[in-house]
Amino acid sequence: MTADLISEGTLESLESARARGRSGDRPPALTEPQVLEAREMYDELDVRGKHKCTLTPTAGTFAVSRKTPYRHLDRDEHRTG
């Protein structure tokens, strides 16, 4: 009974928030300019044709986990490919 009331109240609150334009999602870890900068850092090649900066140091530059730049790169590849 109590769980039903809590669930109902939660659903009403979420519906009310959506009506006000709130989604409840987390903000992105990287802004669009940061994503572009990370892409430029990763795409830069040395004289041997290898990446000057891998994604691990790139993630450290922006203080995010290693997976974050990978997610953004995958998203970019799906858009263009």
Side-chain angles (χ1 to χ4, degrees), residues 26-51:
R26 284 188 71 158
L30 294 175
T31 63
E32 281 301 315
Q34 288 175 323
V35 170
L36 294 173
E37 187 176 345
R39 167 58 80 181
E40 288 173 8
M41 290 172 67
Y42 181 70
D43 286 344
E44 191 175 348
L45 302 176
D46 63 12
V47 293
R48 297 174 294 167
K50 295 189 176 220
H51 295 285

Side-chain angles (χ1 to χ4, degrees), residues 3 8 15 24-25 32 38 44 54 61 67 75:
E8 186 177 315
E15 186 177 314
D25 295 337
E32 281 301 315
E44 191 175 348
T54 63
T61 301
K67 291 180 80 173
R75 194 177 311 145

Side-chain angles (χ1 to χ4, degrees), residues 26-31 34-35 37-38 41 53-69 71-72:
R26 284 188 71 158
L30 294 175
T31 63
Q34 288 175 323
V35 170
E37 187 176 345
M41 290 172 67
C53 189
T54 63
L55 290 177
T56 301
T58 302
T61 301
F62 298 106
V64 294
S65 73
R66 281 182 53 220
K67 291 180 80 173
T68 301
R71 277 195 299 265
H72 286 284

